[in-house]
Amino acid sequence: MLVQKLAERLQPIFNHLHENPEISWNEVETTKYIKSFLKSENLKPKTFENMTGLYVDIGKGTPRVGFRTDMDALWQEVDGKFQANHSCGHDGHMTVALGVVLLLKDLAPTLPGAVRIIFQPAEEKAQGAKAMVEQGVVDSLQFLYGAHVRPLVELKDGTFAPALHHGAAKLFSGKIQGVEAHGARPEEGKNAIEIASAIIDGLKRIWISPTEQASIKMTQLHAGGTATNIIPANATFSIDARAQTNATMEVLTSGFEKVITAVSMMYDVSIPYQVDAHVAAAQVDDTAKMILKEAIIDVIGEENCAQEVITPGGEDFHFYTFLKPQLKTTMLGIGCGVTPGLHHPNMVFNQDRLSTSSVIITRALVLTLEYLEKGEKL
């Protein structure tokens, strides 16, 4: 009955957020909407002077437990037109968070502590979590939970997982600065395409244990002009690296750096590069996972509690633990029948699972407060 009543309250919220998507760092109206909603519930949201996003505390004292949701939409082509589009489920995640707010507000007089609900911008840019850490939003927290809708290939509709093991991702871009020459005299030049080929060959030789999931490959290469009888001097390239753990990503990064150094020396050319994006892998805390699993079972039964999900996709949420190793985190996997898949322009999912997710997260937050309180008494 609680879930059904909450679902009725959340439906217009989801509709508004879904119909008004905003891309990373431009979540201006979304921030205003959430702020207005929280104020209408007699809460005191806190915003930032130099960025979008906000947070709100519920309960007494300094918050040591939190829940984070992402806010931004993707910019993609939908039915022939480029536009902001919530094809990653962040509209649903925000709806879940506001459902948690409503439930916690009713429980506030009896809560054994305070909870912080964080509305984070720029997840899709892998920048929002870092910004929140820099703002000190998680400094007082010991536990932080997140949530993400999952495709059918990972979770059956109506089931929920107590942990999402996202992988790490790192994107590099660089420039090869060779020497141009006539096609008839290649020995006088330094061919950027041949140098790029050497880089590709070197990447293939980075050794990773067969027990680890990882890959590194060149995904873009632009070299030469319209003339086909000129040895091209310059080229730009992009490298995509993926690993299931942060330790393996460090191995890939070190290997990439050695390849660039070796090829630069072999051809006596300059190959400057930079890291364009970096997403940390999940570092799931066992206690947080145990608490979330208990909450899932309490709300919907053990038969609907799925196994932990290992997924190659990336998630900005994990930068909280990457930057604050003492923070205990895990993410709720929401089995809601995402089809055709995440980031598909026409992605849809079962919205009935949002209110259930709010109840599960709320239960986990309360259990965590009780866990901390019990620890203090021992």
Side-chain angles (χ1 to χ4, degrees), residues 207-282:
W207 189 87
I208 298 294
S209 169
T211 62
E212 297 286 338
Q213 296 183 27
S215 69
I216 184 167
K217 57 278 181 189
M218 187 174 290
T219 54
Q220 287 185 333
L221 177 64
H222 301 283
T226 58
T228 58
N229 62 343
I230 296 176
I231 300 297
N234 300 314
T236 59
F237 62 87
S238 296
I239 302 292
D240 178 286
R242 306 278 170 165
Q244 199 58 54
T245 67
N246 292 316
T248 303
M249 179 56 73
E250 290 180 7
V251 174
L252 289 180
T253 300
S254 176
F256 167 74
E257 292 170 348
K258 290 176 181 177
V259 168
I260 294 299
T261 299
V263 173
S264 296
M265 293 178 64
M266 182 168 61
Y267 285 90
D268 190 23
V269 295
S270 176
I271 311 177
Y273 66 87
Q274 64 186 26
V275 177
D276 295 322
H278 176 206
V279 178

Side-chain angles (χ1 to χ4, degrees), residues 106-352:
D106 290 341
L107 296 172
T110 60
L111 288 177
V115 175
R116 176 162 291 176
I117 308 299
I118 302 168
F119 297 85
Q120 178 208 301
E123 188 279 329
E124 297 294 353
K125 293 290 187 181
Q127 298 170 347
K130 294 179 186 177
M132 285 292 183
V133 170
E134 291 170 359
Q135 292 284 349
V137 175
V138 299
D139 284 355
S140 69
L141 302 184
Q142 292 176 247
F143 285 81
L144 181 64
Y145 296 91
H148 207 298
V149 296
R150 305 315 301 166
L152 279 170
V153 68
E154 291 184 353
L155 279 180
K156 179 182 175 182
D157 186 19
T159 64
F160 296 79
L164 295 177
H165 294 267
H166 289 95
K170 190 174 284 190
L171 305 179
F172 304 89
S173 65
K175 184 175 182 180
I176 299 168
Q177 299 173 335
V179 177
E180 197 168 271
H182 193 287
R185 291 180 289 276
E187 72 281 359
E188 296 179 359
K190 295 180 180 180
N191 192 328
I193 295 176
E194 291 180 358
I195 296 169
S197 179
I199 294 174
I200 293 170
D201 187 59
L203 295 179
K204 294 178 180 178
R205 299 177 190 278
I206 298 175
W207 189 87
I208 298 294
S209 169
T211 62
E212 297 286 338
Q213 296 183 27
S215 69
I216 184 167
K217 57 278 181 189
M218 187 174 290
T219 54
Q220 287 185 333
L221 177 64
H222 301 283
T226 58
T228 58
N229 62 343
I230 296 176
I231 300 297
N234 300 314
T236 59
F237 62 87
S238 296
I239 302 292
D240 178 286
R242 306 278 170 165
Q244 199 58 54
T245 67
N246 292 316
T248 303
M249 179 56 73
E250 290 180 7
V251 174
L252 289 180
T253 300
S254 176
F256 167 74
E257 292 170 348
K258 290 176 181 177
V259 168
I260 294 299
T261 299
V263 173
S264 296
M265 293 178 64
M266 182 168 61
Y267 285 90
D268 190 23
V269 295
S270 176
I271 311 177
Y273 66 87
Q274 64 186 26
V275 177
D276 295 322
H278 176 206
V279 178
Q283 299 177 71
V284 175
D285 177 76
D286 287 340
T287 301
K289 178 179 64 179
M290 175 192 70
I291 293 172
L292 186 53
K293 182 177 180 179
E294 182 178 346
I296 294 170
I297 294 171
D298 286 350
V299 174
I300 57 172
E302 190 166 5
E303 67 277 11
N304 293 311
C305 183
Q307 297 294 316
E308 302 168 45
V309 173
I310 298 177
T311 176
E315 166 59 57
D316 187 41
F317 176 82
H318 303 300
F319 263 118
Y320 288 107
T321 309
F322 188 82
L323 298 172
K324 295 281 188 178
Q326 72 277 13
L327 196 58
K328 302 179 188 300
T329 66
T330 191
M331 296 190 80
L332 176 70
I334 305 173
C336 55
V338 170
T339 53
L342 292 170
H343 289 204
H344 189 284
N346 303 120
M347 186 272 276
V348 295
F349 61 88
N350 186 350
Q351 298 170 31
D352 292 341

